[in-house]
Amino acid sequence: MKSIICAGLLISASALPGVAQDRSAGHAGAHAGGPPSGMATFQRKFSAAGLLSIWGVDDTFGATQSRINNGLSQQAKAEATGITTGYEDDISTLLVPVSVLQGLPDGQSFIYSKFTFNANRGAENPTYSEGTLPSILVSYLNMPSDNLVWGIGVLGQRADSDMKHNGGEISSTSAGFRGDLMYIMNDHWAMAHRVVALWGDSTTDIPTPFGTVSEDRDSSLLYWQGDLVGTFTDADLPQLGKGWVLHPRLGIVAQETIRDEATNNKGGHSPEEDLDYGMVQAVARLEKPVFKPGEWSPQFELGVKHEYENSVGSYTDEDDYLYSQIAFGRKFQNGAFLNAAYTRDDGFNGNRRTQTFKLIYSMSF
């Protein structure tokens, strides 16, 4: 998995050379009565390229963590009981990100701040839980040219989960770094890359007839997500209808998680674990962008996902699943944007049914 992540970082870095000479003189300064020209360029060009809808949300990252954690819970249950069938991923999630993008005086740099509230609940099956995961991100973004943005930020989160199948509790805190790169290659194709490195500590308490078993365990993860995004308007495909835009997307996710060895309060030993997870996806996004305050933007997505690597195995027998989303966004007079979305993952074997309700609010200054 390290080789895949390293390859992704090299692909990301390949966009950097030779862009400095493309710096636009129009970045400096501001339009009278409007946002800085750099802000206007960022929002106009990178939104039109289909990149901001990926950059502004963390649902792929969150779904990856959920999939790995559910797999670990199912693995522990299977090892303890010998039961290896009957497991499901049937989870409902509420995701509410609120973000602010602040332009800096140089006209080409930004501070991006985001708070995300995440609450999830699993349907009853051999392993299921409910919990919350609030997180905060603060990033510095730089736009050295009109077709390239890179960013680096700090990320912190806390997760609290109640395991309904055994009465246990898991609490964890983690912090680290997030890097982003968005690059518009031409009028029809662009790419987005994200790297996340986190270090954390978790405490697990499980009641038993012989007392509560408690374990403190450190862990770390390295995550890479890469997306190739196309843009085709009604001028390219008249059958789309006036004002509609099609964004085909090919994506890949790779993550390595290291769970340090630990000894619980009863003397039980858990060895170090090195877990790999990988997923590829092909998604088509159809949307009608908005340009004026008060307008609504309908958005539809449909695609397939395939897990090409999963160290803990797939106890749900679901490596392939259908992805779908329906969403509506509205632009406000003050430049804010509100987007409400409903997303699903449905396994082809009927054992994976996850749904996410997203309410996304973003502001820019």
Side-chain angles (χ1 to χ4, degrees):
M1 190 58 64
K2 280 190 176 71
S3 60
I4 296 177
I5 296 176
C6 289
L9 295 177
L10 289 174
I11 294 172
S12 303
S14 69
L16 294 174
V19 299
Q21 67 270 25
D22 296 329
R23 184 187 304 272
S24 171
H27 281 171
H31 295 300
S37 61
M39 178 75 75
T41 299
F42 172 76
Q43 293 178 328
R44 183 181 69 253
K45 296 203 66 172
F46 289 87
S47 177
L51 298 179
L52 296 190
S53 61
I54 299 173
W55 168 75
V57 295
D58 302 311
D59 47 353
T60 300
F61 177 76
T64 299
Q65 310 319 308
S66 176
R67 185 66 165 156
I68 293 172
N69 291 333
N70 288 340
L72 287 169
S73 181
Q74 293 159 3
Q75 182 186 57
K77 178 82 171 183
E79 291 176 349
T81 64
I83 300 174
T84 59
T85 60
Y87 297 94
E88 295 183 352
D89 279 342
D90 192 343
I91 304 168
S92 299
T93 300
L94 173 65
L95 191 65
V96 185
V98 178
S99 63
V100 176
L101 184 67
Q102 175 70 54
L104 298 180
D106 64 5
Q108 68 177 54
S109 301
F110 316 90
I111 297 296
Y112 179 65
S113 305
K114 180 170 68 172
F115 172 79
T116 301
F117 176 76
N118 180 317
N120 58 81
R121 173 177 292 184
E124 184 173 353
N125 75 95
T127 61
Y128 67 109
S129 64
E130 63 180 51
T132 58
L133 197 163
S135 64
I136 189 167
L137 168 71
V138 179
S139 289
Y140 168 80
L141 303 177
N142 186 273
M143 185 170 59
S145 69
D146 286 352
N147 66 335
L148 174 69
V149 170
W150 62 266
I152 184 70
V154 292
L155 171 67
Q157 60 185 29
R158 176 180 174 83
D160 292 289
S161 181
D162 294 328
M163 295 181 284
K164 297 301 183 180
H165 58 282
N166 62 9
E169 297 179 350
I170 300 177
S171 297
S172 66
T173 56
S174 57
F177 304 95
R178 168 176 153 176
D180 290 281
L181 184 143
M182 293 181 284
Y183 179 52
I184 302 173
M185 295 179 284
N186 53 49
D187 289 342
H188 290 299
W189 293 101
M191 62 180 181
H193 294 269
R194 177 178 303 178
V195 177
V196 177
L198 288 177
W199 295 265
D201 171 77
S202 65
T203 300
T204 303
D205 296 312
I206 301 176
T208 74
F210 309 101
T212 299
V213 177
S214 299
E215 180 184 83
D216 291 328
R217 196 168 193 177
D218 295 332
S219 64
S220 62
L221 69 84
L222 181 61
Y223 170 93
W224 168 63
Q225 176 184 336
D227 290 282
L228 178 67
V229 184
T231 299
F232 300 92
T233 67
D234 56 335
D236 305 303
L237 301 170
Q239 56 268 40
L240 291 177
K242 184 175 177 58
W244 287 87
V245 179
L246 176 65
H247 293 295
R249 170 185 175 189
L250 295 175
I252 182 171
V253 167
Q255 178 170 314
E256 180 183 53
T257 305
I258 298 176
R259 305 177 77 212
D260 293 351
E261 64 177 348
T263 301
N264 64 38
N265 63 330
K266 303 296 185 182
H269 179 72
S270 298
E272 179 180 296
E273 293 181 280
D274 192 338
L275 308 174
D276 291 334
Y277 178 87
M279 183 271 290
V280 291
Q281 59 182 336
V283 176
R285 176 182 175 92
L286 183 64
E287 65 177 347
K288 192 170 186 179
V290 295
F291 303 98
K292 297 179 181 179
E295 294 182 334
W296 287 90
S297 170
Q299 308 136 35
F300 307 94
E301 295 187 12
L302 186 65
V304 291
K305 299 181 180 182
H306 169 70
E307 294 177 356
Y308 64 87
E309 179 70 30
N310 190 347
S311 292
V312 297
S314 180
Y315 289 90
T316 59
D317 190 30
E318 294 285 10
D319 297 324
D320 304 282
Y321 37 99
L322 180 72
Y323 164 82
S324 58
Q325 174 176 279
I326 180 171
F328 293 91
R330 181 179 175 87
K331 189 172 185 179
F332 294 93
Q333 192 70 39
N334 62 357
F337 192 82
L338 177 67
N339 206 70
Y342 175 70
T343 301
R344 291 187 60 90
D345 284 333
D346 290 280
F348 291 112
N349 293 327
N351 299 322
R352 179 171 172 81
R353 298 178 299 275
T354 68
Q355 57 180 354
T356 301
F357 301 87
K358 293 185 287 187
L359 194 61
I360 305 166
Y361 185 74
S362 58
M363 298 170 284
S364 59
F365 303 97

